[in-house]
Amino acid sequence: MGGPSAPALTAAMVQDAVAQMLPQPAIAAPPAAGLDGRLGTTQRFALEDHTHAVRVQRMARTTAADGTLTWVFARPIVVTAGDVPPLAYMVEDTGSPVVVQVVGRTLTTAGGQDTHTAVTVRAQRSRTLPATLVSLAGLVGFDIFQVAANVRVNLWAADPTQ
């Protein structure tokens, strides 16, 4: 039994061998969700308390007496100068149809980019023609929209994806 002896392993050698076998933690934040999901190629792993950037912001609020509401974004949305962030809405109302339109934006422009920080919208409710409308002039002058006060509106704004 007098054969050659195995070299003694030091603690540093063991740690180095283990480190080479196990994946290492990620060193950068993961990308935000994209339109086309894909599998990653890195052998690094993400830490259990990491988060992904939210690309969509949402707010639900009731319109004022004049049918408007202003939404200050939780964080600014940056787009190419002249572009606007995608904005969508849904109305929670059981009355006649309500239309929402953007009537104002708060933004700054610098370096070829617009930084949007708020949006103001106006809600208008459609109304039916009155039964007493008897002339063409009366029809031409009739406004089919009226102020939609106290209407709950859900708004979504998104960072541009392309």
Side-chain angles (χ1 to χ4, degrees):
M1 283 224 313
S5 63
L9 294 176
T10 65
M13 292 170 68
V14 171
Q15 284 179 336
D16 185 50
V18 168
Q20 290 179 22
M21 291 187 292
L22 295 177
Q24 297 298 304
I27 56 174
L35 291 177
D36 299 320
R38 63 180 172 84
L39 294 175
T41 57
T42 178
Q43 295 300 311
R44 294 180 178 269
F45 65 88
L47 300 175
E48 67 182 18
D49 59 348
H50 85 280
T51 61
H52 292 257
V54 175
R55 299 186 67 85
V56 176
Q57 300 179 53
R58 178 187 170 273
M59 182 275 313
R61 193 168 302 140
T62 302
T63 59
D66 65 354
T68 64
L69 68 85
T70 298
W71 174 26
V72 177
F73 299 140
R75 64 171 171 68
I77 300 175
V78 179
V79 298
T80 304
D83 288 347
V84 293
L87 187 69
Y89 74 90
M90 181 186 77
V91 176
E92 297 177 25
D93 190 77
T94 57
S96 60
V98 174
V99 175
V100 176
Q101 70 184 82
V102 175
V103 294
R105 295 180 184 272
T106 304
L107 63 107
T108 57
T109 302
Q113 294 183 321
D114 290 345
T115 302
H116 292 254
T117 55
V119 65
T120 299
V121 298
R122 176 178 295 121
Q124 295 176 308
R125 183 179 303 282
S126 66
R127 58 185 184 154
T128 58
L129 293 171
T132 59
L133 193 61
V134 293
S135 72
L136 184 57
L139 177 61
V140 171
F142 184 78
D143 187 357
I144 62 168
F145 292 108
Q146 61 188 7
V147 170
N150 301 314
V151 171
R152 187 148 175 94
V153 178
N154 287 276
L155 291 165
W156 289 268
D159 291 338
T161 56
Q162 298 176 353

